[in-house]
Amino acid sequence: MSLEVDGVTIETNDKGYLEDIGDWSEKVAEAIAAKEGIELTERHWDLIHYLRDEYINNNENQPNTRTIVKAMQAKWDDKSVDAKTIYDLFPLDPSKQGGRIAGLPESRRKGGY
């Protein structure tokens, strides 16, 4: 499978994950999100950049939902952020759908917590 962004073909696997993490850009993220019916807001971008930073700068770490919730509570200085808040952003699983939009490989984790 592939994705067309600004006249460039970006290769993806059968689940929509990028074949090469180096092909990612914010425009690619927007294209993937649009395909999944998600309009990216500032909060989406915060989570996407957090996931990318964890993967790229923390030994390919792919945080689970509980860890994402804690990180976004701190980022947004809002203790009311919970799993529902995060799933409202990425309904098909923040670590998996968020990771796909962030251009990361598919997470092998089974669930949110």
Side-chain angles (χ1 to χ4, degrees), residues 85-112:
T85 307
I86 303 303
Y87 271 89
D88 285 346
L89 296 173
F90 297 106
L92 299 180
D93 189 317
S95 65
K96 291 183 184 267
Q97 186 176 36
R100 181 172 41 252
I101 294 170
L104 304 176
E106 182 175 9
S107 171
R108 299 294 178 206
R109 88 175 64 271
K110 291 184 179 183

Side-chain angles (χ1 to χ4, degrees), residues 47-66:
L47 202 150
I48 288 167
H49 290 297
Y50 166 73
L51 292 173
R52 287 187 60 78
D53 183 60
E54 280 296 302
Y55 186 83
I56 294 167
N57 298 315
N58 193 13
N59 200 29
E60 298 183 354
N61 181 41
Q62 291 182 292
N64 64 15
T65 301
R66 175 176 285 169

Side-chain angles (χ1 to χ4, degrees), residues 10-25:
I10 308 294
E11 294 301 321
T12 63
N13 68 16
D14 61 336
K15 294 182 181 177
Y17 289 87
L18 297 183
E19 291 288 345
D20 180 357
I21 188 173
D23 288 338
W24 188 86
S25 69

